[in-house]
Amino acid sequence: MKQTIGIVGAGLVGKAVAHLAVAAGYQVVISNSRGPESLFELMKELGPLARAGSVEDAIAAGDIVSLAIPLATFESLPADKFAGKVVLDQTNYYPGLGDFRRADLDRGELTSSELVQRHLRGAKVVKGVHNLGWHHMQYNARPQGDAERTTLPIAGDDATAKETVTRFVQAVGYDVVDAGSLAESWRIEPNTPIYFWPYVPAIPAGLTEREAKRLYLQPGKPLSPVAARKLIDSTQRPSPIGGTLQGLPPIHVALFLELASADTVQR
């Protein structure tokens, strides 16, 4: 019997994870801050394997609980409800966006996933499926053995939890490499070589915005486990720490802002 994936956050990332999970045969319980009734249209897209619930419902039901939320909201999570849960941390630190900034993260005293783990003390946090955009999270997925299958990194402190997340990521369409502990997860954070850019197609100069968008929505080139390992091992810690819009493909930023301005981004 397939596991259940609980998803906290029904924005662009949460929806992508939900689509991948149901396509692989997982049960899904997805939640957001607006309440289950706001997810009616999404439920029609996802089909009978998915249901909408409260945040507490998603946590309770999930064999793996995905955090598809802005890092800035981590303290609103009901920490006691996560005891014993395997948590897939998809959050990223972007200090230039909004008003969330922490000196301990800026100084590199801990990683963003260590911060999440500190709040969710009884959980088993694994960083992963955080280093590519929502489009390519779905478009790049390929079955086992496909020549175009690409590789995603994970990091965590609990070996069994990492095995659980690895099996899930493999089932939804990706090879996996282990990037180490949560303390080492800076190697796969924003502005590192394995973050975002390896998963998107190259956009030639001279295209119109419409042409660039059409090309950008195509799958990126595959990244082998060997190549992914080399990127991780050769990484130096970024300075300053944290992601920036300038560190993302401009066409991705344009698409995100377009969707956000249309109020289609559900948290």
Side-chain angles (χ1 to χ4, degrees), residues 199-213:
Y199 305 100
V200 301
I203 307 296
L207 298 182
T208 66
E209 183 173 343
R210 184 174 182 178
E211 291 170 336
K213 284 181 181 178

Side-chain angles (χ1 to χ4, degrees), residues 81-257:
K81 305 294 184 183
F82 283 87
K85 292 290 181 177
V86 175
V87 175
L88 176 59
D89 178 21
Q90 297 185 264
T91 66
N92 287 299
Y93 183 45
Y94 274 77
L97 301 182
D99 57 2
F100 178 73
R101 185 152 203 162
R102 289 182 61 109
D104 50 3
L105 295 183
D106 290 339
R107 290 193 295 263
E109 295 172 3
L110 74 168
T111 64
S112 61
S113 287
E114 287 182 294
L115 182 67
V116 171
Q117 178 68 84
R118 181 184 293 179
H119 180 62
L120 305 180
R121 289 184 297 277
K124 303 167 185 177
V125 174
V126 178
K127 185 77 164 186
V129 200
H130 66 290
N131 62 317
L132 72 173
W134 69 93
H135 294 295
H136 296 99
M137 200 177 292
Q138 287 185 250
Y139 297 164
N140 289 2
R142 292 292 184 275
Q144 188 80 40
D146 191 296
E148 296 298 307
R149 188 169 163 106
T150 193
T151 305
L152 298 180
I154 64 166
D157 295 337
D158 186 281
T160 301
K162 285 202 282 189
E163 289 175 7
T164 299
V165 169
T166 293
R167 287 194 296 269
F168 170 67
V169 177
Q170 289 173 335
V172 302
Y174 293 92
D175 290 333
V176 177
V177 293
D178 188 340
S181 66
L182 293 181
E184 295 172 294
S185 65
W186 61 265
R187 293 180 178 277
I188 59 176
E189 286 184 340
N191 286 344
T192 61
I194 203 168
Y195 189 82
F196 221 98
W197 288 94
Y199 305 100
V200 301
I203 307 296
L207 298 182
T208 66
E209 183 173 343
R210 184 174 182 178
E211 291 170 336
K213 284 181 181 178
R214 187 184 304 115
L215 180 56
Y216 183 74
L217 295 180
Q218 301 302 309
K221 293 182 179 180
L223 181 70
S224 72
V226 171
R229 169 62 58 199
K230 288 180 179 178
L231 290 179
I232 292 167
D233 290 346
S234 65
T235 298
Q236 296 184 354
R237 196 158 201 176
S239 181
I241 291 171
T244 63
L245 291 183
Q246 293 76 21
L248 298 173
I251 195 63
H252 174 84
V253 176
L255 283 165
F256 175 79
L257 294 176

